[in-house]
Amino acid sequence: MNRKQRRGARKQPPSSGSQRTATAGNPADQLFTEAEQLQRRHKLDDAIRLYKRLLLLKPDHAQANNNVALVLLAQGKRSEASAHFAQALTLMPQLFEQYNAVCDTLAAVLPPIGAAMQRALAARPNRLSADQLLAADDHAAVRADPLLRCMLEAVPARNIGLELVLTALRAAFTADASDENALSFCCALAKQCFINEYVFAVTAEEEAQVERLTAAIGDALSAGAGIAPMQLAVLAMYAPLHRLPFADALLTNAWPAPLEAVVTQQIREPRQEVALRPAIPRLTAIVDETSLRVQQQYEENPYPRGINLAGNVQPVSLDRHLRAKFPTAAFTPLAKSGPLDILVPGCGTGLGAQVAQMYDAHVLAVDLSLASLAYAKRTTPAALASRIEYVQGDILKLGAIGRTFDFIEVTGVLHHMADPLEGWRVLLALLQPGGIMHLGFYSELGRRDVVDARAFIAERGYAATPADIRRCRQDILQTPHASVARFTDFFSTSECRDLLFHVQESRMTIPAIKDFVDSHGLKFIGFDLDDATAQKYREAFAAQGWSMSDLAKWHAVEMANPDMFSGMFQLWVQRNG
């Protein structure tokens, strides 16, 4: 789970599509409850009939779409099931947080892709062609599948087997491919490559093809000749169109709808971000040497791209959220009427909008990188925009802004400072008495394989360039360091740079966190854990007579379970009132 996903996992359950009992007088809820009951009793035809009546009333009911898909799949109607699974994911993008489960679903609705993934993995390090991975009759089905297209257009392909298959499919496309789904699928794959920032492996033959295509399209534009849409779609699978010298000329052409969407993604939207940069205020100076190095990294690689806000989210109070997450914790509710004042330092490309979506709040979202802020501002939904103020600044200088906040959300940021504890102290001074802070730190113990991989990278001399990141990923998969591919950050260029090539990384231990918490009079509320794990440790702590707020006991737990915090420590603390 990458940082974006960990943040998204804190969202509340969807406000529609998850109800288990009917709301009186609500026909949609009543239909959903009746359909689920029929589904559980295996009366599938009757269940489908009611689900489809419900979807006529409420097409955006995510759970109904998912349940319809499950029933259709059980009936062997794979193509129809795929379309409804795709619709459920579109309505609730947070489901992509369980990406391997989504891949399992894809293999169920599209068996040839599942078999191809297995063949590709078995052949490593040899690279199989598309024709070696798929039977001749399977190509058309793969290109037409709705769930696969949805996955390609939404998030990076976070599965090695699927990446290998997609890499082979990309190499098989030629500019004269002509079956009816070829252009649409090629455009979906171009969107995928733009989202993952062209992290797939590239052969010398493909590089030569890209050079020839670039020259041919440039010559055609100069001569006023037409360009075959497939030519441009193939090129967009290998290079971002906005960086081409003739990008402006491409905006004047009329393209088929799938390619027009690619042109928007790869030219219009990056241009919008450039136009937004000058209007973003600078809140503080940025002069610290480490801050400047980190800023440069995120100007080159805004982290992460491809933000998808959770769907069907009902705002919740922070007090209610914490009580649900930590039912036995002794924290003091904020009990504030009206919107919270929230600070999100190191907001990156999307955390400000995620926090504003989750809570009734006014958000000050701060980041070092204008590229990240411009991306965040462009992708913020209009309904949230008035509640978020995006500004450029450095955490180390925020003490001078003359403001305090009810809640500070700072995950995945402090460990990229020269002294994370100094950053924590600065932010603590901005927290109102009784205020809440949510923090994230890399674990020294949980991140040991990443440390070893970073040493391997330094020893081999890989540079933090797109070409070297591509090469390093392929090489590292053939070594004992391949365990780092368990991180979703491994599957795009900017995220892989953040994971393995970061210019500044610090790690923390629970005893160090405990010392800071104790010496600054903070109350430890708890660690973020998934529901099942949290319940497991509530029972284990209770059986031993331990307090869940005892960080010394949590240190013992981590020592016994060294991979428990392999992502990061995410902890909640409260300042004494």
Side-chain angles (χ1 to χ4, degrees), residues 59 137 187 254:
D137 293 341
C187 288

Side-chain angles (χ1 to χ4, degrees), residues 57 67 143 158 160 215 385 454 530:
L57 290 173
N67 287 7
R143 291 177 178 183
R158 298 166 179 152
I160 293 295
R454 287 172 64 92
D530 65 76

Side-chain angles (χ1 to χ4, degrees), residues 13 47 96 130 135 147 218 230 332 334 382 406 544 574 577:
F96 279 115
L147 177 56
M230 185 58 78
T332 303
L334 293 177
D406 302 304
Q544 298 178 77
Q574 184 169 35

Side-chain angles (χ1 to χ4, degrees), residues 180-435:
E180 61 179 309
N181 287 310
L183 179 63
S184 293
F185 185 81
C186 186
C187 288
L189 192 47
K191 287 185 174 183
Q192 167 63 206
C193 294
F194 185 82
I195 291 169
N196 70 41
E197 298 154 299
Y198 302 91
V199 80
F200 293 168
V202 182
T203 65
E205 182 181 353
E206 288 172 288
E207 289 176 342
Q209 177 194 27
V210 170
E211 288 184 11
R212 291 192 298 271
L213 263 179
T214 303
I217 292 173
D219 291 344
L221 288 169
S222 297
I227 300 167
M230 185 58 78
Q231 281 187 304
L232 190 60
V234 170
L235 182 57
M237 292 193 295
Y238 289 94
L241 299 182
H242 69 92
R243 293 185 182 170
L244 298 174
F246 46 76
D248 286 339
L250 297 174
L251 295 174
T252 64
N253 284 37
W255 304 107
L259 186 55
E260 184 67 23
V262 172
V263 170
T264 292
Q265 178 204 47
Q266 298 197 12
I267 302 179
R268 294 188 181 93
E269 290 177 352
R271 297 282 174 84
Q272 290 170 14
E273 292 167 27
V274 171
L276 287 168
R277 290 171 63 108
I280 296 174
R282 172 170 281 202
L283 185 63
T284 77
I286 303 170
V287 296
D288 176 76
E289 181 179 344
T290 299
S291 297
L292 289 168
R293 290 168 60 225
V294 172
Q295 177 191 28
Q296 182 61 35
Q297 172 171 330
Y298 290 127
E299 292 294 354
E300 295 170 1
N301 293 99
Y303 175 96
R305 311 256 337 170
I307 291 293
N308 290 284
L309 281 179
N312 291 301
V313 171
Q314 185 77 344
V316 65
S317 72
L318 180 59
D319 292 340
R320 182 181 168 193
H321 177 67
L322 289 176
R323 180 52 64 209
K325 182 177 283 291
F326 305 109
T328 63
F331 69 91
T332 303
L334 293 177
K336 181 176 180 178
S337 60
L340 296 179
D341 289 316
I342 297 180
L343 173 65
V344 184
C347 66
T349 56
L351 184 54
Q354 291 178 0
V355 170
Q357 180 191 41
M358 185 169 184
Y359 305 110
D360 178 18
H362 296 302
V363 174
L364 179 64
V366 186
D367 203 87
L368 294 166
S369 162
L370 277 178
S372 296
L373 289 163
Y375 184 96
K377 196 170 179 66
R378 179 184 65 77
T379 56
T380 295
L384 298 177
S386 64
R387 296 198 278 120
I388 309 171
E389 181 184 2
Y390 289 107
V391 296
Q392 185 183 31
D394 188 348
I395 288 174
L396 292 172
K397 297 291 185 180
L398 291 181
I401 67 175
R403 293 177 60 177
T404 57
F405 300 87
D406 302 304
F407 173 44
I408 298 177
E409 168 68 68
V410 57
T411 52
V413 178
L414 296 179
H415 47 225
H416 295 314
M417 302 180 71
D419 182 355
L421 297 181
E422 180 184 2
W424 195 353
R425 281 188 289 270
V426 170
L427 294 176
L428 191 56
L430 302 175
L431 191 64
Q432 292 184 6

Side-chain angles (χ1 to χ4, degrees), residues 22-34 50 53-54 57-58 61:
T23 303
N26 187 322
D29 289 346
Q30 292 172 356
L31 283 169
F32 182 78
T33 299
E34 292 173 22
L50 290 188
R53 281 177 57 193
L54 165 57
L57 290 173
K58 194 167 186 178
H61 199 296

